Amino acid sequence: KLGGLFGGVTLDHMRLLHALTGLLAVALSYAFFRQLLALPWALLASAVFGVNHAFLMISRMAMRENTPVLVEVAALALLLYGLRRRHLFATYAGGVLAGLGYYVHFPGRMVFPLWIVFLVVLALAYRRQLPVARLGAVALAGFALVAVPYIVAYLKAPTDLKHHQREALLLTRDGRELQKDWVFEDS
């Protein structure tokens, strides 16, 4: 749909769309890093994030692999904003975005586990200053409302529909077997 707004689904328009998605991810990374770091360090961290070879190349290939990065950075920025300002809606919106990570791309499912690790670290480091349990529950509710329907549908899907997704990740046995076949190795 977004490609149609740019003039049609062509290679050039999709490359432009994904390059803009990459730039938006860099801007949101600044919003995240600025909450943690002083201005010069936040700018440096965002610059390093933006010129990272893998992210830079993915953002211009007319592929959707930068979308999970955008969702993850936005979710983390909203989580931290909500926690620091005790803002329930921002925290809830971060949970919704983390749930959206399940829809945008298979590796986007790592958004929520990374988010849980982030919450645990914050809970341990700032247990007296931040109401992590309450705000974490609000974020979990947002995540559950968005992700649970997809999780249920995925669990009910036939195995052959899930096979390609498992082959796309080296974290799964199917993905490692496919990779061994591609590089003609035993392990």
Side-chain angles (χ1 to χ4, degrees):
K1 298 276 183 191
L2 288 174
L5 292 175
F6 281 92
V9 181
T10 66
L11 182 60
D12 290 335
H13 293 134
M14 297 313 290
R15 277 185 163 177
L16 174 63
L17 176 62
H18 290 281
L20 291 173
T21 303
L23 288 174
L24 183 57
V26 171
L28 287 173
S29 76
Y30 173 76
F32 173 67
F33 291 133
R34 186 64 182 104
Q35 294 180 64
L36 298 169
L37 305 168
L39 177 67
W41 291 109
L43 286 171
L44 179 64
S46 297
V48 169
F49 176 85
V51 298
N52 174 290
H53 172 72
F55 186 69
L56 186 65
M57 297 314 290
I58 286 172
S59 294
R60 62 179 296 275
M61 292 175 69
M63 299 173 75
R64 64 180 182 190
E65 277 77 5
N66 64 359
T67 311
V69 176
L70 175 67
V71 170
E72 179 180 341
V73 171
L76 286 172
L78 282 169
L79 168 69
L80 188 57
Y81 180 85
L83 285 173
R84 294 182 96 192
R85 300 207 182 352
R86 291 169 173 72
H87 195 278
L88 291 176
F89 182 73
T91 307
Y92 174 77
V96 168
L97 281 175
L100 188 62
Y102 270 67
Y103 289 88
V104 294
H105 190 46
F106 195 78
R109 295 174 183 193
M110 288 306 296
V111 172
F112 198 68
L114 286 173
W115 212 27
I116 295 296
V117 168
F118 187 67
L119 272 176
V120 168
V121 168
L122 285 176
L124 293 174
Y126 300 102
R127 63 181 160 265
R128 297 190 199 285
Q129 295 104 322
L130 295 174
V132 175
R134 188 180 119 202
L135 291 169
V138 169
L140 182 61
F143 170 80
L145 285 173
V146 175
V148 167
Y150 178 83
I151 294 168
V152 169
Y154 181 79
L155 292 174
K156 290 182 176 182
T159 305
D160 57 328
L161 290 177
K162 297 187 275 188
H163 184 70
H164 173 70
Q165 288 182 329
R166 286 192 315 269
E167 283 184 333
L169 296 175
L170 290 176
L171 297 173
T172 65
R173 186 176 52 81
D174 292 339
R176 290 188 298 273
E177 290 299 320
L178 180 64
Q179 182 66 24
K180 286 189 322 190
D181 291 344
W182 282 356
V183 296
F184 307 108
E185 292 293 332
D186 296 331
S187 67

